[in-house]
Amino acid sequence: MKLDVKELWHGSHPQHVLRMEYTEIPFRCDGCKEAGIGIKYSCDACCFDLHRNCALAPSTITHPFYDKCYFQFYTRPPGSAMRVCDACRKDVLGFVYHCTGCGFDLHPCCANLAPRLEDGDRSFLLCMKITSSCHRCGLKGPGWSYRSECKNYNLHVSCVKELLVESWQAMYLNLDKEKVRDIQTKIPSLRGTMQSHQHQHHHLQAQRARLGKVHQCCQIAGGAIRIIISAILGDPTAIIAAVIGGFISK
């Protein structure tokens, strides 16, 4: 990963320079089409945004999980078939790292997930396969996960992304309807999770029940969850992650 620069030219948006900004409002990355928050590279004139990891993505990478693979950066998924990120199991809709030989795909932010995280007291390891049930969904399932070194706590990367959506929804339900509609339009993956005020009460009850599944894990590993969120967002700072992590752990 290149060092941060204040502004840059990017081939996906050759019309204008992109400037580094910091936002607390969720945005849709115009590169990978995934949601983001925190540091981004933006063209305000065109409402164009890129994750830091997408803006500064090298043309080729390797990954320790795939020691025989050579990943090439693509601005759009190769081929005509629908592709899925092998880390988070989400659809690949834009920027992606693809191995032609083996067929594996990684979102740029997923490709940059740290192999080991520390929350001060415990260590969490990035695992290609989960060996025991995820503390959010209760399943083993495919996709990468973070597992505590003691092997008692597991969280799918995909489940952390879903926790982010639920957290954003709860924070933005109190905004005016125009702002909620604007966020839904810019980030389609959040559409359908943000409910109208008419359904707010029932939704928040359901949300608390879902969050209750990870309450114990969050209490024990709240610091690590904040770091995981920061890594998934491609944001090297932990400010936004701390805000969302604090909400999750309540």
Side-chain angles (χ1 to χ4, degrees):
M1 176 67 66
K2 300 175 184 177
L3 295 176
D4 287 337
V5 292
K6 297 298 182 184
E7 57 183 40
L8 55 82
W9 292 94
H10 198 277
S12 64
H13 190 72
Q15 302 94 318
H16 304 106
V17 69
L18 303 181
R19 292 182 172 83
M20 188 172 69
E21 297 181 3
Y22 186 85
T23 178
E24 296 184 5
I25 303 297
F27 66 89
R28 186 197 71 156
C29 174
D30 289 291
C32 67
K33 316 301 182 186
E34 289 282 291
I37 199 169
I39 290 180
K40 64 178 181 176
Y41 283 88
S42 246
C43 172
D44 292 336
C46 301
C47 296
F48 183 90
D49 302 300
L50 291 178
H51 286 127
R52 173 179 176 270
N53 282 325
C54 289
L56 303 176
S59 59
T60 58
I61 62 167
T62 57
H63 197 281
F65 284 171
Y66 308 100
D67 55 4
K68 296 181 180 180
C69 290
Y70 185 75
F71 288 90
Q72 183 79 31
F73 177 77
Y74 290 82
T75 56
R76 64 183 64 183
S80 57
M82 193 67 191
R83 310 203 67 83
V84 174
C85 174
D86 287 282
C88 68
R89 308 305 301 172
K90 304 294 183 184
D91 290 342
V92 172
L93 303 174
F95 289 7
V96 63
Y97 280 108
H98 173 73
C99 174
T100 303
C102 301
F104 293 118
D105 300 279
L106 297 174
H107 288 127
C109 287
C110 291
N112 281 278
L113 289 174
R116 185 183 185 92
L117 301 174
E118 306 280 349
D119 72 345
D121 297 317
R122 295 170 180 81
S123 297
F124 285 75
L125 306 176
L126 183 64
C127 300
M128 191 175 179
K129 296 180 180 179
I130 194 168
T131 55
S132 58
S133 299
C134 169
H135 275 72
R136 182 186 187 278
C137 68
L139 303 173
K140 292 184 179 181
W144 298 0
S145 67
Y146 274 101
R147 184 195 71 199
S148 62
E149 205 163 33
C150 64
K151 300 184 180 181
N152 290 327
Y153 306 102
N154 299 275
L155 273 176
H156 282 123
V157 169
S158 59
C159 286
V160 176
K161 285 191 174 185
E162 290 173 7
L163 284 170
L164 287 173
V165 172
E166 292 175 2
S167 301
W168 285 336
Q169 172 194 324
M171 287 189 282
Y172 285 98
L173 272 174
N174 293 323
L175 295 178
D176 60 73
K177 292 182 179 179
E178 289 300 319
K179 175 61 74 174
V180 171
R181 190 175 297 112
D182 181 59
I183 293 172
Q184 289 175 335
T185 301
K186 290 182 178 178
I187 313 175
S189 61
L190 300 188
R191 187 181 297 123
T193 62
M194 290 186 171
Q195 307 296 321
S196 67
H197 288 282
Q198 180 180 1
H199 300 288
Q200 180 177 353
H201 177 69
H202 295 295
H203 176 80
L204 290 180
Q205 280 187 325
Q207 177 177 285
R208 290 191 188 100
R210 289 194 298 271
L211 293 178
K213 293 180 181 179
V214 295
H215 181 67
Q216 181 183 13
C217 181
C218 291
Q219 282 183 317
I220 295 174
I225 290 174
R226 292 176 175 86
I227 299 172
I228 295 170
I229 291 170
S230 179
I232 289 174
L233 292 174
D235 180 5
T237 70
I239 299 173
I240 292 296
V243 172
I244 299 174
F247 170 82
I248 293 171
S249 60
K250 288 180 180 178

